[in-house]
Amino acid sequence: MADFAFFNKQFVPIAEAKLGIMTHALHYGTACFEGIRGNWNSEEQQMYLFRIRDHHERLKKSCHIMKIDLPYTADELSQLTVELAGRNGYQEDIYIRPLAYKSAQAIGVRLHNLEDDFLMFAIPFGPYLDVTKGCKCCVSTWRRIDDNMIPPRAKVTGLYVNSAMAKTEAWENGFDEAILLNHDGHVSEGSGENIFLVFEGKLVTPPPSDNILVGITRDTIMKLAKNELGIDTIERSIGRNELYLADECFLTGTAAHVTPVIEIDHRRVGEGAVGKITGKLQQLYFDIIRGKNPKYIDWCTPAYPSKVAA
Ligand code: PY5
C-alpha cells in the first residue's frame, strides 16, 4: 500500500508531495507544526489518535501568532487526521506531522502578503527517548528563546533551531537530552519536552511565563496526577540547583511520552532510577494513550472506525 500525505488540499501518494525550492518556509522558518501520536492497540487491532483536537487547536493558535491562514477548523483538521491515518493503515505506533506554512515562492523576510498552505503526513514512530531506563540530561549552554524573540507558546519551525542547538550539544557531550534555562536563569524545558520535578510527593513544573511550550502531555500528566493519585502540581519558577535536589524528575512530550530523568549534570536524581511517582504516572499514561482506560477514552480517537466494537 502506498503511503499517503495530505498536500495541496488533497490526499496524494507521499512520493508525489513535493515543495518548490523557493518555498518561503524553507528559507525563513515561517511554518507552524504539531506532533500527534497514533498508538497501536494490538488486542483491539485499533489505532488510537491521542488528543487530536487539542493539537489542532494549538496549531490554530500558532498560526494566528504567525499570521498563517489555515482555512480549516480544529474539527475539520481532526477529521483529516483520522482520514490520513485510515488511508495509511499502519498497525504500529505512528507519529503524525501537520504543518501549516508560508507556501509562497517568494524572497523577502516578512509574514504579510504571502500565500499559506497546509500539509500532513504520518510515519511509523517508536520511542524517542529511553522510557524504561530513563535518560541522562545536562543543563544546556544555550538559553531558551524569549517570548519577545519568537513566541515559545507557538510551535514555529524556526524556533526549533534553538532546540536543535541544545540537543546536539547535549548528544555530542554524551548526554541524552538538554534542559534549557530561560534568560532569568530559571529552568524552562527540554529541547522537545516539558519538565517536571517531584519534591516531597508534589509535582513542580515551570509556568508558561518561563518560555515553555504549553504541552498537551504536560496537561495530561497534571490531570492524571490530580485525579488518579491525588497529587497537586505547583507551577512555579525553578532554580537550576533544584534540578540536582529533586526526589524525581521526568520529561513529557508527545514524542517523549513520560521519560524518567535519572541523572542531571553528572549528578544522580533521587535514587538514580525511575522514581515511584514517575513510574505510576507512566503506567497510567501508557494505558490511556492506547485507549485502555475507559475513563479517558474521550482523549482517544479511533483511526479505524469500522473496527470500533458496536
Ligand atoms: N516543549 C517543546 C519545546 C516541544 O517541542 C514539545 C513537543 C513539548 C514541550 C511537549 O509538548 P506536547 O506534550 O504537546 O507534545 N515536541 C514535539 C513532540 O511531538 C517534537 C519533539 C521532537 O513531542
Side-chain angles (χ1 to χ4, degrees), residues 33-36 55 58 95 97 125 128 144 152 155 160 163 189-194 212-219 252-257:
F33 71 103
E34 277 299 319
I36 303 173
H55 280 285
R58 188 169 66 188
Y95 187 76
R97 168 55 49 83
F125 199 68
Y128 184 70
R144 177 71 174 153
K155 229 169 142 55
Y160 277 76
S163 289
E189 59 182 345
S191 73
E193 309 86 16
N194 293 116
I212 65 168
L213 176 78
V214 186
I216 290 163
T217 320
R218 175 182 183 270
D219 176 71
T252 63
T254 298
H257 295 306

Side-chain angles (χ1 to χ4, degrees), residues 6-309:
F6 186 76
F7 183 65
N8 284 344
K9 299 168 187 63
Q10 55 185 331
F11 287 97
V12 294
I14 212 160
E16 289 172 23
K18 303 273 188 231
L19 285 172
I21 60 169
M22 281 173 62
T23 304
H24 197 272
L26 176 65
H27 295 260
Y28 307 118
T30 46
C32 302
F33 71 103
E34 277 299 319
I36 303 173
R37 269 194 188 261
N39 304 293
W40 179 240
N41 179 321
S42 55
E43 292 94 76
E44 292 179 32
Q45 295 285 295
Q46 182 60 267
M47 172 84 73
Y48 285 106
L49 306 171
F50 192 61
R51 297 190 68 170
I52 43 176
R53 201 171 187 288
D54 296 311
H55 280 285
H56 289 307
E57 273 174 4
R58 188 169 66 188
L59 183 65
K60 298 278 294 176
K61 288 181 190 158
S62 297
C63 286
H64 179 68
I65 289 175
M66 285 292 287
K67 294 182 173 287
I68 291 174
D69 179 33
L70 180 56
Y72 305 102
T73 64
D75 284 330
E76 286 165 347
L77 290 166
S78 301
Q79 198 44 50
L80 286 172
T81 311
V82 173
E83 189 174 345
L84 176 76
R87 280 177 183 252
N88 282 309
Y90 290 115
Q91 304 207 336
E92 60 192 303
D93 291 348
I94 59 167
Y95 187 76
I96 299 168
R97 168 55 49 83
L99 183 88
Y101 60 103
K102 294 276 169 204
S103 58
Q105 304 290 301
I107 294 291
V109 182
R110 63 181 190 274
L111 298 180
H112 60 277
N113 294 345
L114 294 164
E115 300 94 66
D116 308 304
D117 210 342
F118 171 75
L119 61 80
M120 183 162 54
F121 61 88
I123 51 163
F125 199 68
Y128 184 70
L129 291 166
D130 192 330
V131 288
T132 313
K133 283 202 249 119
C135 72
K136 297 181 177 180
C137 297
C138 61
V139 172
S140 185
T141 66
W142 297 95
R143 292 290 172 114
R144 177 71 174 153
I145 205 132
D146 192 67
D147 195 29
N148 253 318
M149 299 171 179
I150 305 172
R153 210 180 247 275
K155 229 169 142 55
V156 179
T157 55
L159 174 55
Y160 277 76
V161 172
N162 182 230
S163 289
M165 288 289 193
K167 177 78 181 190
T168 292
E169 179 193 53
W171 182 80
E172 287 178 345
N173 289 330
F175 299 96
D176 304 306
E177 187 52 283
I179 298 168
L180 289 91
L181 307 180
N182 68 9
H183 269 75
D184 303 329
H186 294 136
V187 174
S188 183
E189 59 182 345
S191 73
E193 309 86 16
N194 293 116
I195 187 166
F196 285 83
L197 302 179
V198 178
F199 283 107
E200 293 171 355
K202 288 211 169 58
L203 294 179
V204 181
T205 196
S209 52
D210 278 338
N211 295 350
I212 65 168
L213 176 78
V214 186
I216 290 163
T217 320
R218 175 182 183 270
D219 176 71
T220 302
I221 288 303
M222 286 162 73
K223 289 189 169 126
L224 293 183
K226 178 79 184 157
N227 298 346
E228 303 303 318
L229 305 178
I231 295 176
D232 287 320
T233 303
I234 304 159
E235 289 180 79
R236 65 158 174 85
S237 291
I238 296 174
R240 178 174 183 163
N241 70 86
E242 296 184 83
L243 294 173
Y244 306 146
L245 299 175
D247 301 325
E248 301 180 27
C249 176
F250 59 88
L251 302 171
T252 63
T254 298
H257 295 306
V258 177
T259 299
V261 177
I262 55 168
E263 208 179 282
I264 301 174
D265 288 346
H266 301 289
R267 290 162 180 84
R268 217 178 45 239
V269 177
E271 305 292 315
V274 180
K276 278 205 185 70
I277 292 176
T278 307
K280 281 186 197 165
L281 287 169
Q282 215 186 29
Q283 195 50 54
L284 281 163
Y285 175 79
F286 279 133
D287 278 350
I288 286 165
I289 63 169
R290 285 187 206 291
K292 293 183 181 176
N293 187 333
K295 193 168 162 190
Y296 295 95
I297 202 69
D298 288 353
W299 276 340
C300 300
T301 306
Y304 309 139
S306 62
K307 287 194 179 159
V308 175

